[in-house]
Amino acid sequence: MATTKADQQPIVFTLRSFPFIPSFEERFSEKFKTLKRNDISMPLNQFLTTHPQSHSVRALICGAHTPVTSETLNSLPSLGCVLTTTAGLDHIDLAECRRRGIVIGNAGTVYSEDVADFAVALLIDVLRRISSADRFLGGKHVGIVGLGSIGFEVAKRLEAFGCIISYNSRKKKPSVPFPYYSNVLDLAANSDVLIISCELNNETFHIINKDVMLALGKEGVIINVGRGALIDEKELVQCLVKGEIGGAGLDVFENEPHVPVELFELDNVVLAPHKAVLTLESFSALHELVIANLEAFFSNKPLLSLVKND
Ligand SMILES: O=C(O)C(=O)CO
């Protein structure tokens, strides 16, 4: 049998959730020798500890629903690179990657514009469904929690609607013209709308708690396109049911795919099944980025979307 270019390549282990487009999958498997877990009924770590090729895996592709735990990493002794198809990193044991010198690449900014569009669409939907003319978007004070690439794209779009933007993030961003709040509670107290687009980590878990929701107030709207666990979901449901906040647009939930049943009953809530990034444009850009990252890794160059993990 003729040897293809892929036979000479180190092995890339692709976990299931990589959103391949068929033509891309072909290109990908010509370029890279891949190990796939076809039988997903076998637990991942059992597959890895019994599969002889696990020892030769140099790069791993994962997604939001395929956690990369220390156990997984320990079953891949030659692993040097983890590429996630997500912008978020909360499914990866970052400390273990750091300890083992494994580089991490994420989806960079490929989703930012689509997620920002989606956040704005959710907001318009929440406001227009329940409101009379005095609740339209113009003049609303919008607080953005997490002014990364998504948050910034949201700000650009909402400024064009005449909204007044301010934000909270770990640090004040010197190049940004919007007022900064170092504390989410103060941001909520001064906003009509909170857009949640920060990353989920130990510091941001339940950053939107009951106090923040009460500070946002009865007319306040929350849009979450980050991660479900950024909001204390039980409290969110209570606040919505009791009318302590005005509405919510949610693309993410604390225990996906579970969605609290109470939310389905509420007219002032718009629910979406974690689909803000699901566009052909986002995925095509992601696929190019994954290939470019693997090529960079295998030629000892820095990843294009290298994650800072120190
Ligand atoms: O990029 C991410 O973090 C996502 O949630 C994609 O769905």
Side-chain angles (χ1 to χ4, degrees):
M1 208 166 79
T3 0
T4 66
K5 211 169 159 201
D7 292 331
Q8 296 141 24
Q9 297 282 357
I11 295 174
V12 179
F13 179 41
T14 56
L15 282 171
R16 255 190 102 240
S17 68
F18 191 44
F20 284 114
I21 295 172
S23 61
F24 172 77
E25 190 153 11
E26 243 166 65
R27 236 176 93 207
F28 187 82
S29 50
E30 268 165 28
K31 275 180 179 285
F32 306 107
K33 188 167 175 182
T34 55
L35 171 64
K36 274 190 202 149
R37 186 169 60 124
N38 292 326
D39 174 10
I40 57 151
S41 62
M42 183 189 277
L44 174 62
N45 292 315
Q46 188 185 341
F47 169 82
L48 289 178
T49 45
T50 52
H51 202 293
Q53 282 188 321
S54 302
H55 281 256
S56 313
V57 168
R58 291 281 294 133
L60 165 70
I61 295 177
C62 64
H65 300 296
T66 50
V68 179
T69 61
S70 59
E71 207 184 352
T72 310
L73 295 169
N74 287 337
S75 313
L76 297 167
S78 309
L79 191 71
C81 173
V82 170
L83 294 181
T84 175
T85 60
T86 58
L89 302 169
D90 46 294
H91 53 294
I92 302 175
D93 187 334
L94 296 175
E96 186 59 19
C97 287
R98 190 180 314 125
R99 197 185 67 74
R100 289 186 40 185
I102 295 171
V103 291
I104 302 172
N106 69 351
T109 57
V110 299
Y111 300 136
S112 304
E113 295 202 4
D114 280 333
V115 177
D117 287 346
F118 203 82
V120 174
L122 280 176
L123 176 57
I124 293 170
D125 197 347
V126 174
L127 291 177
R128 294 295 297 262
R129 271 182 170 212
I130 59 163
S131 59
S132 52
D134 65 346
R135 297 204 57 201
F136 290 170
L137 204 50
K140 285 278 177 286
H141 286 82
V142 175
I144 299 183
V145 182
L147 201 73
S149 64
I150 295 172
F152 194 69
E153 291 293 335
V154 171
K156 265 175 27 191
R157 283 154 177 75
L158 289 180
E159 256 199 317
F161 277 101
C163 295
I164 301 130
I165 310 289
S166 43
Y167 73 103
N168 160 263
S169 61
R170 259 169 307 186
K171 289 192 201 127
K172 186 172 177 357
K173 299 187 186 272
S175 59
V176 162
F178 313 122
Y180 170 70
Y181 287 86
S182 59
N183 165 329
V184 183
L185 200 65
D186 294 337
L187 179 71
N190 289 286
S191 300
D192 305 308
V193 173
L194 282 184
I195 308 265
I196 319 301
S197 56
C198 60
E199 73 180 55
L200 174 65
N201 54 36
N202 291 341
E203 281 79 54
T204 59
F205 176 79
H206 284 188
I207 188 170
I208 309 300
N209 57 23
K210 185 170 181 184
D211 291 342
V212 172
M213 292 184 243
L214 294 181
L216 183 64
K218 288 185 191 316
E219 299 293 316
V221 170
I222 293 180
I223 301 296
N224 191 4
V225 289
R227 283 286 181 273
L230 292 166
I231 305 184
D232 185 333
E233 196 171 73
K234 279 204 184 90
E235 294 295 351
L236 173 69
V237 169
Q238 284 310 305
C239 284
L240 284 164
V241 168
K242 292 182 187 158
E244 283 166 340
I245 62 169
L250 307 169
D251 187 42
V252 286
F253 302 89
E254 199 158 348
N255 298 303
E256 290 177 15
H258 171 77
V259 177
V261 283
E262 296 91 328
L263 294 180
F264 290 103
E265 310 271 300
L266 300 172
D267 288 341
N268 53 348
V269 173
V270 178
L271 305 172
H274 201 148
K275 61 176 265 184
V277 304
L278 301 189
T279 68
L280 203 56
E281 287 80 0
S282 272
F283 282 172
S284 299
L286 172 72
H287 295 155
E288 297 308 325
L289 179 63
V290 167
I291 289 192
N293 267 332
L294 285 173
E295 287 176 340
F297 174 67
F298 290 129
S299 12
N300 293 321
K301 294 195 180 130
L303 302 186
L304 276 78
S305 56
L306 182 70
V307 167
K308 214 164 151 238
N309 185 21
D310 46 36

